[in-house]
Amino acid sequence: ETGVTQSPTHLIKTRGQQVTLRCSSQSGHNTVSWYQQALGQGPQFIFQYYREEENGRGNFPPRFSGLQFPNYSSELNVNALELDDSALYLCASSLGWTSSEQFFGPGTRLTVL
Amino acid sequence: TQLLEQSPQFLSIQEGENLTVYCNSSSVFSSLQWYRQEPGEGPVLLVTVVTGGEVKKLKRLTFQFGDARKDSSLHITAAQPGDTGLYLCAGVGYGQNFVFGPGTRLSVLP
């Protein structure tokens, strides 16, 4: 059974640029959630995708967008990067949006200069 | 807005000591989870508590869910260096939304 994987591991961008982060969910899982974890804080919920549809969104602006593909892998896109977007971005997969058991990937560390 | 607070924020103890960390909220959750996160990795689920007053044990770790389902505690007996990490609690809302606390960073010194 393959766990949740994310790419890239680290990324450095400059203010105003756009970035795409990728996540492959655990085998058999159809739900992916994305979180932002700033330094010294807990993860903050960005949004969740269930069977290719957005199924809930946290308090993040529209420049944070996502996609889920038929194989249930997912992308997080952030436009017009700001310095405060520097954080660890985590994705978590689960079997169904009603499941409380989610498995996290190792994260992508994004630095915005 | 549902918020979770955790205390203490930082804890440094010697191997063999006992410790308790707390997770508190003014909101009621359908369940509460505890995770441990190590540097460079994502959080790993330790336990889910569902029923008010529930106590669960995982080897040297004891988790308790408050009667009103607004708070929880994690007690570690005879801490070991391998217990070092960031301990996160997460409240699961009735819409299956997850709210994480800021975490307790534990350091167990040999």
Side-chain angles (χ1 to χ4, degrees), chain A:
Chain A
E1 187 177 84
T2 307
V4 179
T5 60
Q6 293 186 243
S7 64
T9 306
H10 296 87
L11 201 52
I12 299 175
K13 291 284 188 179
T14 56
R15 209 168 34 172
Q17 286 189 310
Q18 178 265 344
V19 68
T20 297
L21 311 181
R22 294 178 175 83
C23 171
S24 291
S25 58
Q26 186 163 312
S27 178
H29 286 184
N30 55 19
T31 303
V32 172
S33 301
W34 285 92
Y35 294 85
Q36 180 194 67
Q37 186 175 24
L39 203 60
Q41 297 183 23
Q44 300 292 310
F45 175 70
I46 302 174
F47 44 57
Q48 181 187 80
Y49 277 83
Y50 169 65
R51 292 188 174 184
E52 302 178 60
E53 297 286 333
E54 187 177 292
N55 188 48
R57 189 179 183 91
N59 189 27
F60 280 81
R63 60 189 185 84
F64 286 77
S65 62
L67 281 174
Q68 188 179 31
F69 300 99
N71 66 354
Y72 302 132
S73 66
S74 178
E75 286 182 356
L76 164 65
N77 299 290
V78 187
N79 294 322
L81 284 167
E82 300 177 0
L83 297 180
D84 284 350
D85 295 333
S86 294
L88 180 68
Y89 287 85
L90 296 161
C91 79
S93 74
S94 58
L95 183 58
W97 69 273
T98 60
S99 171
S100 65
E101 188 171 19
Q102 53 182 353
F103 297 85
F104 282 86
T108 293
R109 172 73 61 187
L110 172 65
T111 302
V112 182
L113 303 176

Side-chain angles (χ1 to χ4, degrees), chain B residues 13-28:
Chain B
I13 61 172
Q14 292 295 133
E15 182 176 2
E17 292 183 4
N18 301 332
L19 67 115
T20 302
V21 298
Y22 300 92
C23 174
N24 297 286
S25 175
S26 58
S27 302
V28 176

